[in-house]
Amino acid sequence: MDHENHVRLSEDELTDAVLTGATIYGPFDDTIGTVAHLHGMGPDAQVIVDVGGFLGIGSKPVAVPVRDLDFMRDEGGSVHAVTQWTKDQLKEMPEHQH
């Protein structure tokens, strides 16, 4: 997916309502997870990403700083993010406890 023409989200848009369910793409443009929910607001927020599993079953929630994710909207208005984290790196992180 070419993200060049996608519109980056403003800091005000980095909310649980906007980000929940967003797909996260890794450095090779592969899907590495989805946003489960958000803790906090602004640049210090933590994004809880469900990684691994299939259709949400067997996935592992991990906390990633929002600053490590580049959130944007595609031409159709769908929110997604790109990051330098790989799926394997996220799987190695400690599980987020709800």
Side-chain angles (χ1 to χ4, degrees):
M1 179 183 301
D2 182 10
H3 302 283
E4 287 298 315
N5 295 321
H6 296 171
V7 178
R8 274 31 183 197
L9 297 187
S10 68
E11 193 171 301
D12 292 341
E13 293 178 286
L14 300 178
T15 65
D16 195 56
V18 173
L19 302 183
T20 297
T23 300
I24 310 295
Y25 295 97
F28 307 107
D29 212 31
D30 54 326
T31 301
I32 62 170
T34 57
V35 176
H37 59 276
L38 191 68
H39 284 291
M41 294 178 65
D44 295 323
Q46 293 286 307
V47 178
I48 309 308
V49 177
D50 283 335
V51 62
F54 182 71
L55 298 175
I57 299 171
S59 61
K60 175 184 175 182
V62 298
V64 177
V66 72
R67 65 184 166 274
D68 288 355
L69 302 166
D70 186 11
F71 283 98
M72 59 193 79
R73 275 190 175 55
D74 66 17
E75 294 86 354
S78 295
V79 174
H80 62 282
V82 294
T83 185
Q84 292 303 308
W85 291 95
T86 66
K87 185 182 280 190
D88 287 340
Q89 287 173 318
L90 292 181
K91 285 181 178 179
E92 291 173 8
M93 295 175 85
E95 184 171 345
H96 171 72
Q97 302 298 320
H98 297 284

